[in-house]
Amino acid sequence: MEIILPFFLLISISFNYMGHRNLVSADDTLIKTQCHNAEVLEACIQCVKSDPRSQSADKVGIATIVITCISNKAVTLESNMTVLALSVHDKDLKLVLQDCQKELSNAKTNLTTAMDRLKSKDYDQTNYLLNHALQKEFDCKKNVGDLQYTLPTTVLNDMTIYEELSEAAMRIIDRFL
């Protein structure tokens, strides 16, 4: 069974990486190098170039921007789960979607803390927190799938980007160690 939301609801809660569409000029070589090492080139480059800070970003700055993109996706997914939970009648699914919303809110907290750890050069703890935030999204997807429901394509696409950028951030940060 697929969950279908009115088109206007998904449009209103689905954002691009940074909430704006302008791509800025940046150090393309450094961005491409960092994103190439992350193995999800397109998603990573789009995320980094969407942020004005990329103009002067070093490697840590690029990692910070990617974490910001992940955090923005967590907010979008949290909002999506809230809307989905309000729109379904199945009690079990409603509970799972509400749990997803709570877990994605916790993931956002982990991502905020990860950014603080990155700034203090605690790279192991940064990656630990990124992995923990990623696991919350994986658990949500699994729990919804266990009920044999299919999330809307836009939500699944946001989840894929969340996963790709999480992996990218961890790979970028691994190179600092």
Side-chain angles (χ1 to χ4, degrees):
M1 176 178 209
E2 183 173 356
I3 302 167
I4 299 180
L5 285 181
F7 182 70
F8 71 91
L9 285 177
L10 288 177
I11 294 298
S12 68
I13 58 178
S14 184
F15 315 152
N16 71 348
Y17 298 106
M18 293 300 299
H20 53 82
R21 298 192 185 282
N22 297 346
L23 297 183
V24 295
S25 171
D27 182 349
D28 284 338
T29 303
L30 180 60
I31 292 169
K32 286 179 182 174
T33 300
Q34 292 304 305
C35 288
H36 177 73
N37 291 334
E39 296 183 10
V40 286
L41 192 62
E42 287 183 39
C44 182
I45 288 174
Q46 185 176 357
C47 160
V48 175
K49 285 191 171 186
S50 71
D51 191 309
R53 296 176 295 174
S54 67
Q55 292 177 344
S56 59
D58 59 5
K59 292 176 183 181
V60 172
I62 290 171
T64 301
I65 291 168
V66 175
I67 295 171
T68 300
C69 291
I70 300 163
S71 186
N72 290 340
K73 278 296 173 200
V75 169
T76 300
L77 289 167
E78 180 184 358
S79 295
N80 285 334
M81 295 305 158
T82 300
V83 171
L84 288 169
L86 291 171
S87 69
V88 299
H89 300 291
D90 182 284
K91 289 180 183 179
D92 292 334
L93 180 59
K94 186 179 285 287
L95 289 173
V96 167
L97 292 169
Q98 288 170 340
D99 188 53
C100 285
Q101 180 272 323
K102 289 175 192 163
E103 290 303 314
L104 287 160
S105 178
N106 291 337
K108 173 82 169 76
T109 301
N110 285 337
L111 293 165
T112 300
T113 305
M115 248 190 295
D116 292 339
R117 296 297 185 267
L118 179 62
K119 289 175 188 171
S120 66
K121 299 181 181 182
D122 186 351
Y123 303 129
D124 285 332
Q125 188 65 21
T126 301
N127 269 355
Y128 171 80
L129 290 162
L130 285 168
N131 190 51
H132 198 63
L134 178 58
Q135 189 60 51
K136 291 180 183 300
E137 186 270 346
F138 281 149
D139 291 345
C140 173
K141 189 185 282 187
K142 178 192 178 302
N143 292 341
V144 170
D146 286 350
L147 293 176
Q148 299 188 3
Y149 286 93
T150 303
L151 291 165
T153 303
T154 54
V155 175
L156 290 172
N157 289 342
D158 282 342
M159 290 178 130
T160 298
I161 293 167
Y162 182 95
E163 293 164 13
E164 288 177 349
L165 292 176
S166 296
E167 292 292 334
M170 288 186 281
R171 286 178 181 270
I172 289 169
I173 293 164
D174 277 344
R175 297 179 61 82
F176 300 162
L177 300 172

